[in-house]
Amino acid sequence: MKVAVTGLNNTDNPGPGVPVIRSILNHPDFSGEIIGLHYDNLEPGIYMDGIKSRSYMIPYPSQGPESLLERLRYIHSKENIDVIIPTLDSELYNFIHISDELAVLGIKTFLPTTDNLEKRSKDKLFEFCEENEIDSPKTFVINSLTQVNEILKEINYPIVVKGIFYEAYICYTFDEVSTNFYKIASKWGLPIIIQEYLVGDEVNVAAVGDGEGNTIGAVAMRKLFITDKGKGWAGVTIGDDKLIDLTHKVINALKWRSGLELEILKSKKDGKYYLLEINSRLPAWVYLTQAAGQNLPYYILQLALGEKVEPVREYEIGKMFIRCSIDLISDMKTYEKLSVYGEL
Amino acid sequence: MKLNKNLAISESGFAFNGSTGDSFLLNETATFIISKIKSNLSREEILDALIKEFDVNPITAEKDLIDFLNQLRTFDLLED
């Protein structure tokens, strides 16, 4: 069997590709090859030993689904791929768009639906939470700074100013709101999201949904060390039935298909869990889940292959990960092959 | 008094709250008090045991015990 996986950018802001691959390779039932799909010739996963048999460059998501399909047709003609597992948010729309064509080629996927992606988007999440009685910080979607005064009648400073895709700033005054509003708008465009600021501890849950409302697996983790980019550099699995029940509720309400990550805050004020964000892919710390007893990437592979996967609830609490930064050695001949032929 | 059921304590004095991911290092006195809470002793019984074990005056022992129990409550580790 050949499984192609994207997201080999194992940098200080790592993509989930390498941990997804390592999880699949670790499963005792897996026998096959991994084909890497990369966007940049310097993605570290290309150079790591024991990760992939070969790797191919694919066009950036901004080039659209047609060029992706054309490139995948070429790669498929050489590799005869059985399953593709995309691991990055930004590429999902393109893969969903071409999933029927991939199926005709005999390439299986297990992707979220467009409806899944739209309902969890940052500007719709609060609405989704209200409809489904899920606690979430009060959120307002604005296109103009003049709307902020109205919002301040409902929530108090500090407030969080967030971009529609990335970036978030805690603001204590209108001046700070104004500065960050324009800073984010110039980078990511409008609308801007204004959110109530809650004090508490953030926890994360990685999970897989079967698309029919069932949660196949879910593992909760608390970050023990966070980099200056806000990425977890170490973490530990934690167990709390309320947290896992909340995950099941979210997956059931969305009929979520494939992997996701929930960002949740346990409020210091009332001890309740508040849903902050839903990321539409497995997280970069997903290798921890297989160590704790739930191989979430392998479940996605099984679901893509049409296999029946029994839901699992239990996992080991207190399992830790610590990320490691090492230098891989390569040479310009390797880089040359990647640059000239787009494959290795 | 009951300890949070998610709290795991090893003989070395390392404590891990499995529901939050918090971990703590307990000194000898803290480990002693925790062991007594686990044995379902009341606050007064723990205080007596502390005075006997550590040869400390009752006022200091009571102050230390109250401080430690409050710390356990702050970290959500004690269910009264």
Side-chain angles (χ1 to χ4, degrees):
Chain A
M1 189 199 315
K2 285 189 184 173
V3 182
V5 181
T6 67
L8 307 184
N9 51 324
N10 223 40
T11 61
D12 60 343
N13 181 10
V18 170
V20 162
I21 292 169
R22 291 181 73 210
S23 300
I24 291 171
L25 291 174
N26 259 10
H27 198 283
D29 294 343
F30 180 74
S31 63
E33 279 187 283
I34 299 290
I35 305 300
L37 301 174
H38 61 266
Y39 290 102
D40 189 286
N41 292 334
L42 286 176
E43 289 184 24
I46 306 169
Y47 300 87
M48 290 172 74
D49 286 333
I51 292 296
K52 55 30 165 170
S53 300
R54 286 162 295 286
S55 191
Y56 295 83
M57 183 178 261
I58 54 173
Y60 274 105
S62 57
Q63 293 184 37
E66 294 309 323
S67 59
L68 175 65
L69 182 60
E70 191 186 326
R71 180 64 175 157
L72 290 176
R73 277 203 178 104
Y74 164 77
I75 298 168
H76 188 54
S77 72
K78 294 189 76 176
E79 297 289 353
N80 200 18
I81 293 166
D82 294 288
V83 177
I84 294 183
I85 303 180
T87 66
L88 307 171
D89 322 65
S90 54
E91 63 191 6
L92 278 175
Y93 276 106
N94 283 347
F95 274 100
I96 292 168
H97 195 84
I98 63 169
S99 58
D100 289 344
E101 285 91 340
L102 292 177
V104 171
L105 292 171
I107 301 174
K108 297 177 177 69
T109 55
F110 193 73
L111 305 170
T113 63
T114 312
D115 185 55
N116 283 166
L117 297 188
E118 280 170 10
K119 278 187 182 154
R120 52 60 63 184
S121 66
K122 287 187 187 184
D123 54 336
K124 306 252 172 61
L125 185 63
F126 184 59
E127 200 180 313
F128 163 78
C129 288
E130 279 201 317
E131 278 170 14
N132 292 283
E133 295 177 340
I134 293 166
D135 291 317
S136 177
K138 279 185 186 167
T139 303
F140 306 85
V141 181
I142 64 169
N143 286 293
S144 161
L145 261 184
T146 56
Q147 294 169 269
V148 173
N149 281 337
E150 270 309 299
I151 292 168
L152 288 170
K153 288 177 187 166
E154 289 195 49
I155 58 174
N156 298 318
Y157 285 117
I159 58 177
V160 186
V161 179
K162 295 168 92 168
I164 189 75
F165 297 116
Y166 303 105
E167 290 193 46
Y169 298 96
I170 300 163
C171 300
Y172 293 81
T173 64
F174 185 78
D175 284 345
E176 285 179 349
V177 174
S178 171
T179 305
N180 290 309
F181 178 96
Y182 290 115
K183 185 175 170 182
I184 295 171
S186 65
K187 257 191 193 171
W188 307 111
L190 294 171
I192 297 291
I193 291 152
I194 305 287
Q195 197 169 62
E196 176 185 17
Y197 176 70
L198 297 177
V199 179
D201 293 319
E202 193 182 318
V203 293
N204 300 67
V205 183
V208 172
D210 68 356
E212 291 169 16
N214 303 306
T215 301
I216 298 298
V219 175
M221 183 274 300
R222 160 102 181 268
K223 291 173 186 171
L224 295 177
F225 186 89
I226 297 171
T227 67
D228 53 3
K229 285 191 176 174
K231 305 294 161 189
W233 198 260
V236 61
T237 54
I238 57 170
D240 187 336
D241 280 339
K242 282 182 194 162
L243 198 52
I244 300 302
D245 289 344
L246 171 63
T247 306
H248 283 237
K249 190 174 181 180
V250 170
I251 287 180
N252 184 262
L254 287 169
K255 301 275 178 291
W256 188 269
R257 196 171 183 272
S258 200
L260 54 64
E261 180 191 30
L262 304 184
E263 294 180 12
I264 296 165
L265 186 115
K266 187 175 188 183
S267 165
K268 280 220 191 300
K269 196 174 163 190
D270 57 17
K272 285 184 186 172
Y273 286 113
Y274 288 80
L275 182 61
L276 300 178
E277 276 187 28
I278 300 175
N279 297 318
S280 51
R281 39 91 194 132
L282 291 173
W285 57 269
V286 73
Y287 189 64
L288 179 69
T289 69
Q290 58 85 39
Q294 291 191 17
N295 197 325
L296 300 183
Y298 195 76
Y299 298 158
I300 291 181
L301 176 60
Q302 288 179 294
L303 291 164
L305 291 168
E307 294 175 12
K308 172 92 180 143
V309 188
E310 288 300 326
V312 188
R313 187 165 170 120
E314 300 304 316
Y315 61 89
E316 192 179 338
I317 294 164
K319 210 72 180 167
M320 276 180 71
F321 80 90
I322 302 104
R323 217 156 258 169
C324 164
S325 177
I326 56 166
D327 296 343
L328 299 170
I329 301 300
S330 190
D331 57 56
M332 286 310 285
K333 275 285 168 208
T334 306
Y335 187 68
E336 178 190 324
K337 275 187 198 165
L338 283 162
S339 303
V340 176
Y341 303 110
E343 56 192 73
L344 183 69
Chain B
M1 287 184 294
K2 257 190 178 175
L3 290 170
N4 181 324
K5 64 180 179 351
N6 296 301
L7 188 67
I9 303 160
S10 70
E11 284 177 6
S12 65
F14 183 83
F16 172 64
N17 182 351
S19 67
T20 62
D22 290 325
S23 59
F24 310 88
L25 275 181
L26 306 176
N27 64 15
E28 193 188 349
T29 318
T31 309
F32 179 84
I33 296 171
I34 292 265
S35 74
K36 299 301 171 196
I37 298 172
K38 272 182 164 177
S39 305
N40 292 322
L41 264 62
S42 68
R43 210 188 80 162
E44 289 68 30
E45 288 168 327
I46 296 172
L47 181 59
D48 288 344
L50 259 181
I51 294 165
K52 279 181 199 151
E53 179 74 17
F54 294 99
D55 191 24
V56 63
N57 73 65
I59 293 171
T60 307
E62 186 169 19
K63 182 184 166 296
D64 288 351
L65 178 62
I66 291 169
D67 279 353
F68 182 63
L69 294 178
N70 282 339
Q71 277 192 55
L72 290 178
R73 284 188 196 97
T74 303
F75 290 111
D76 211 12
L77 299 176
L78 194 64
E79 295 163 5
D80 283 311

PDB file of all heavy atoms in Angstrom, chain A residues 222 224 236-240 266 273 317-318, chain B residues 5-6 16-23 76:
ATOM      1  N   ARG A 222      -2.328  18.845  27.697  1.00  0.00           N
ATOM      2  CA  ARG A 222      -2.022  20.179  28.232  1.00  0.00           C
ATOM      3  C   ARG A 222      -0.574  20.495  27.882  1.00  0.00           C
ATOM      4  O   ARG A 222       0.324  19.678  28.147  1.00  0.00           O
ATOM      5  CB  ARG A 222      -2.224  20.155  29.746  1.00  0.00           C
ATOM      6  CG  ARG A 222      -1.530  21.256  30.498  1.00  0.00           C
ATOM      7  CD  ARG A 222      -2.485  22.354  30.898  1.00  0.00           C
ATOM      8  NE  ARG A 222      -1.772  23.400  31.596  1.00  0.00           N
ATOM      9  CZ  ARG A 222      -1.615  23.448  32.912  1.00  0.00           C
ATOM     10  NH1 ARG A 222      -2.125  22.492  33.671  1.00  0.00           N
ATOM     11  NH2 ARG A 222      -0.964  24.451  33.462  1.00  0.00           N
ATOM     12  N   LEU A 224       3.015  21.856  28.303  1.00  0.00           N
ATOM     13  CA  LEU A 224       3.865  22.121  29.471  1.00  0.00           C
ATOM     14  C   LEU A 224       4.884  23.206  29.178  1.00  0.00           C
ATOM     15  O   LEU A 224       5.439  23.812  30.080  1.00  0.00           O
ATOM     16  CB  LEU A 224       4.601  20.836  29.872  1.00  0.00           C
ATOM     17  CG  LEU A 224       3.720  19.684  30.361  1.00  0.00           C
ATOM     18  CD1 LEU A 224       4.575  18.459  30.642  1.00  0.00           C
ATOM     19  CD2 LEU A 224       2.953  20.076  31.613  1.00  0.00           C
ATOM     20  N   VAL A 236       1.536  16.951  27.971  1.00  0.00           N
ATOM     21  CA  VAL A 236       1.209  15.714  28.680  1.00  0.00           C
ATOM     22  C   VAL A 236      -0.273  15.396  28.463  1.00  0.00           C
ATOM     23  O   VAL A 236      -1.108  16.309  28.436  1.00  0.00           O
ATOM     24  CB  VAL A 236       1.562  15.841  30.185  1.00  0.00           C
ATOM     25  CG1 VAL A 236       0.783  16.953  30.880  1.00  0.00           C
ATOM     26  CG2 VAL A 236       1.365  14.527  30.920  1.00  0.00           C
ATOM     27  N   THR A 237      -0.572  14.098  28.287  1.00  0.00           N
ATOM     28  CA  THR A 237      -1.985  13.737  28.134  1.00  0.00           C
ATOM     29  C   THR A 237      -2.687  13.896  29.478  1.00  0.00           C
ATOM     30  O   THR A 237      -2.127  13.574  30.529  1.00  0.00           O
ATOM     31  CB  THR A 237      -2.152  12.285  27.649  1.00  0.00           C
ATOM     32  OG1 THR A 237      -1.438  11.420  28.527  1.00  0.00           O
ATOM     33  CG2 THR A 237      -1.639  12.116  26.228  1.00  0.00           C
ATOM     34  N   ILE A 238      -3.897  14.422  29.414  1.00  0.00           N
ATOM     35  CA  ILE A 238      -4.692  14.598  30.634  1.00  0.00           C
ATOM     36  C   ILE A 238      -6.057  13.937  30.419  1.00  0.00           C
ATOM     37  O   ILE A 238      -6.457  13.690  29.280  1.00  0.00           O
ATOM     38  CB  ILE A 238      -4.883  16.096  30.993  1.00  0.00           C
ATOM     39  CG1 ILE A 238      -5.534  16.859  29.830  1.00  0.00           C
ATOM     40  CG2 ILE A 238      -3.561  16.733  31.366  1.00  0.00           C
ATOM     41  CD1 ILE A 238      -5.958  18.265  30.197  1.00  0.00           C
ATOM     42  N   GLY A 239      -6.719  13.653  31.505  1.00  0.00           N
ATOM     43  CA  GLY A 239      -8.007  12.980  31.379  1.00  0.00           C
ATOM     44  C   GLY A 239      -9.069  13.686  32.190  1.00  0.00           C
ATOM     45  O   GLY A 239      -8.867  13.952  33.372  1.00  0.00           O
ATOM     46  N   ASP A 240     -10.150  14.043  31.542  1.00  0.00           N
ATOM     47  CA  ASP A 240     -11.277  14.646  32.237  1.00  0.00           C
ATOM     48  C   ASP A 240     -12.509  14.318  31.400  1.00  0.00           C
ATOM     49  O   ASP A 240     -12.596  14.706  30.230  1.00  0.00           O
ATOM     50  CB  ASP A 240     -11.074  16.165  32.339  1.00  0.00           C
ATOM     51  CG  ASP A 240     -12.147  16.812  33.206  1.00  0.00           C
ATOM     52  OD1 ASP A 240     -13.233  16.223  33.336  1.00  0.00           O
ATOM     53  OD2 ASP A 240     -11.897  17.909  33.740  1.00  0.00           O
ATOM     54  N   LYS A 266     -10.091  26.227  30.091  1.00  0.00           N
ATOM     55  CA  LYS A 266     -10.777  25.951  31.358  1.00  0.00           C
ATOM     56  C   LYS A 266     -10.740  27.235  32.169  1.00  0.00           C
ATOM     57  O   LYS A 266      -9.669  27.655  32.622  1.00  0.00           O
ATOM     58  CB  LYS A 266     -10.104  24.805  32.109  1.00  0.00           C
ATOM     59  CG  LYS A 266     -10.895  24.380  33.337  1.00  0.00           C
ATOM     60  CD  LYS A 266     -10.297  23.180  34.019  1.00  0.00           C
ATOM     61  CE  LYS A 266     -11.240  22.681  35.118  1.00  0.00           C
ATOM     62  NZ  LYS A 266     -10.682  21.559  35.850  1.00  0.00           N
ATOM     63  N   TYR A 273     -15.407  24.561  30.782  1.00  0.00           N
ATOM     64  CA  TYR A 273     -14.609  24.500  29.556  1.00  0.00           C
ATOM     65  C   TYR A 273     -15.262  25.368  28.475  1.00  0.00           C
ATOM     66  O   TYR A 273     -16.461  25.233  28.223  1.00  0.00           O
ATOM     67  CB  TYR A 273     -14.497  23.064  29.051  1.00  0.00           C
ATOM     68  CG  TYR A 273     -13.566  22.210  29.885  1.00  0.00           C
ATOM     69  CD1 TYR A 273     -14.059  21.149  30.641  1.00  0.00           C
ATOM     70  CD2 TYR A 273     -12.208  22.465  29.907  1.00  0.00           C
ATOM     71  CE1 TYR A 273     -13.199  20.363  31.408  1.00  0.00           C
ATOM     72  CE2 TYR A 273     -11.341  21.690  30.665  1.00  0.00           C
ATOM     73  CZ  TYR A 273     -11.847  20.649  31.416  1.00  0.00           C
ATOM     74  OH  TYR A 273     -10.992  19.883  32.172  1.00  0.00           O
ATOM     75  N   ILE A 317      -3.210   8.361  30.597  1.00  0.00           N
ATOM     76  CA  ILE A 317      -3.013   9.718  31.117  1.00  0.00           C
ATOM     77  C   ILE A 317      -1.586   9.832  31.667  1.00  0.00           C
ATOM     78  O   ILE A 317      -1.075   8.884  32.257  1.00  0.00           O
ATOM     79  CB  ILE A 317      -4.052  10.011  32.222  1.00  0.00           C
ATOM     80  CG1 ILE A 317      -5.458  10.038  31.588  1.00  0.00           C
ATOM     81  CG2 ILE A 317      -3.773  11.328  32.926  1.00  0.00           C
ATOM     82  CD1 ILE A 317      -6.571   9.934  32.600  1.00  0.00           C
ATOM     83  N   GLY A 318      -0.961  11.002  31.432  1.00  0.00           N
ATOM     84  CA  GLY A 318       0.398  11.199  31.950  1.00  0.00           C
ATOM     85  C   GLY A 318       1.474  10.833  30.945  1.00  0.00           C
ATOM     86  O   GLY A 318       2.649  10.756  31.300  1.00  0.00           O
TER      87      GLY A 318
ATOM     88  N   LYS B   5      -9.523  12.877  42.999  1.00  0.00           N
ATOM     89  CA  LYS B   5      -9.289  11.484  42.587  1.00  0.00           C
ATOM     90  C   LYS B   5      -8.283  11.373  41.425  1.00  0.00           C
ATOM     91  O   LYS B   5      -7.733  10.299  41.173  1.00  0.00           O
ATOM     92  CB  LYS B   5     -10.606  10.798  42.217  1.00  0.00           C
ATOM     93  CG  LYS B   5     -11.333  11.386  41.012  1.00  0.00           C
ATOM     94  CD  LYS B   5     -12.611  10.610  40.774  1.00  0.00           C
ATOM     95  CE  LYS B   5     -13.472  11.045  39.647  1.00  0.00           C
ATOM     96  NZ  LYS B   5     -13.284  12.227  38.887  1.00  0.00           N
ATOM     97  N   ASN B   6      -8.029  12.471  40.758  1.00  0.00           N
ATOM     98  CA  ASN B   6      -7.086  12.434  39.633  1.00  0.00           C
ATOM     99  C   ASN B   6      -5.638  12.670  40.067  1.00  0.00           C
ATOM    100  O   ASN B   6      -4.747  12.707  39.239  1.00  0.00           O
ATOM    101  CB  ASN B   6      -7.455  13.498  38.594  1.00  0.00           C
ATOM    102  CG  ASN B   6      -8.802  13.217  37.979  1.00  0.00           C
ATOM    103  OD1 ASN B   6      -8.999  12.158  37.400  1.00  0.00           O
ATOM    104  ND2 ASN B   6      -9.730  14.151  38.132  1.00  0.00           N
ATOM    105  N   PHE B  16       1.057  14.352  40.488  1.00  0.00           N
ATOM    106  CA  PHE B  16       0.588  14.698  39.149  1.00  0.00           C
ATOM    107  C   PHE B  16      -0.936  14.695  39.148  1.00  0.00           C
ATOM    108  O   PHE B  16      -1.560  13.709  39.525  1.00  0.00           O
ATOM    109  CB  PHE B  16       1.133  13.683  38.132  1.00  0.00           C
ATOM    110  CG  PHE B  16       0.567  13.834  36.752  1.00  0.00           C
ATOM    111  CD1 PHE B  16       0.803  14.987  36.013  1.00  0.00           C
ATOM    112  CD2 PHE B  16      -0.197  12.815  36.182  1.00  0.00           C
ATOM    113  CE1 PHE B  16       0.272  15.120  34.732  1.00  0.00           C
ATOM    114  CE2 PHE B  16      -0.722  12.955  34.902  1.00  0.00           C
ATOM    115  CZ  PHE B  16      -0.489  14.112  34.181  1.00  0.00           C
ATOM    116  N   ASN B  17      -1.505  15.838  38.725  1.00  0.00           N
ATOM    117  CA  ASN B  17      -2.955  15.919  38.591  1.00  0.00           C
ATOM    118  C   ASN B  17      -3.322  15.556  37.153  1.00  0.00           C
ATOM    119  O   ASN B  17      -3.121  16.345  36.230  1.00  0.00           O
ATOM    120  CB  ASN B  17      -3.432  17.335  38.932  1.00  0.00           C
ATOM    121  CG  ASN B  17      -4.951  17.466  38.844  1.00  0.00           C
ATOM    122  OD1 ASN B  17      -5.632  16.559  38.376  1.00  0.00           O
ATOM    123  ND2 ASN B  17      -5.466  18.586  39.326  1.00  0.00           N
ATOM    124  N   GLY B  18      -3.834  14.374  36.971  1.00  0.00           N
ATOM    125  CA  GLY B  18      -4.113  13.848  35.633  1.00  0.00           C
ATOM    126  C   GLY B  18      -5.221  14.569  34.899  1.00  0.00           C
ATOM    127  O   GLY B  18      -5.353  14.422  33.685  1.00  0.00           O
ATOM    128  N   SER B  19      -6.026  15.374  35.584  1.00  0.00           N
ATOM    129  CA  SER B  19      -7.100  16.081  34.871  1.00  0.00           C
ATOM    130  C   SER B  19      -6.659  17.453  34.378  1.00  0.00           C
ATOM    131  O   SER B  19      -7.316  18.044  33.527  1.00  0.00           O
ATOM    132  CB  SER B  19      -8.344  16.213  35.745  1.00  0.00           C
ATOM    133  OG  SER B  19      -8.074  17.066  36.825  1.00  0.00           O
ATOM    134  N   THR B  20      -5.554  17.978  34.922  1.00  0.00           N
ATOM    135  CA  THR B  20      -5.100  19.297  34.476  1.00  0.00           C
ATOM    136  C   THR B  20      -3.685  19.291  33.897  1.00  0.00           C
ATOM    137  O   THR B  20      -3.286  20.220  33.207  1.00  0.00           O
ATOM    138  CB  THR B  20      -5.076  20.297  35.656  1.00  0.00           C
ATOM    139  OG1 THR B  20      -4.140  19.814  36.625  1.00  0.00           O
ATOM    140  CG2 THR B  20      -6.447  20.459  36.291  1.00  0.00           C
ATOM    141  N   GLY B  21      -2.901  18.264  34.197  1.00  0.00           N
ATOM    142  CA  GLY B  21      -1.512  18.211  33.731  1.00  0.00           C
ATOM    143  C   GLY B  21      -0.549  18.910  34.685  1.00  0.00           C
ATOM    144  O   GLY B  21       0.654  18.947  34.443  1.00  0.00           O
ATOM    145  N   ASP B  22      -1.068  19.458  35.785  1.00  0.00           N
ATOM    146  CA  ASP B  22      -0.185  20.123  36.759  1.00  0.00           C
ATOM    147  C   ASP B  22       0.626  19.080  37.521  1.00  0.00           C
ATOM    148  O   ASP B  22       0.117  18.009  37.864  1.00  0.00           O
ATOM    149  CB  ASP B  22      -1.013  20.922  37.780  1.00  0.00           C
ATOM    150  CG  ASP B  22      -1.659  22.137  37.157  1.00  0.00           C
ATOM    151  OD1 ASP B  22      -1.044  22.737  36.263  1.00  0.00           O
ATOM    152  OD2 ASP B  22      -2.804  22.477  37.547  1.00  0.00           O
ATOM    153  N   SER B  23       1.882  19.424  37.813  1.00  0.00           N
ATOM    154  CA  SER B  23       2.673  18.522  38.655  1.00  0.00           C
ATOM    155  C   SER B  23       3.306  19.321  39.792  1.00  0.00           C
ATOM    156  O   SER B  23       3.528  20.533  39.673  1.00  0.00           O
ATOM    157  CB  SER B  23       3.737  17.798  37.826  1.00  0.00           C
ATOM    158  OG  SER B  23       4.596  18.716  37.211  1.00  0.00           O
ATOM    159  N   ASP B  76      -7.100  23.024  43.488  1.00  0.00           N
ATOM    160  CA  ASP B  76      -8.229  22.137  43.219  1.00  0.00           C
ATOM    161  C   ASP B  76      -7.886  20.668  43.505  1.00  0.00           C
ATOM    162  O   ASP B  76      -8.322  19.780  42.778  1.00  0.00           O
ATOM    163  CB  ASP B  76      -8.656  22.300  41.745  1.00  0.00           C
ATOM    164  CG  ASP B  76     -10.141  22.066  41.571  1.00  0.00           C
ATOM    165  OD1 ASP B  76     -10.846  22.019  42.597  1.00  0.00           O
ATOM    166  OD2 ASP B  76     -10.581  21.904  40.425  1.00  0.00           O
TER     167      ASP B  76
END
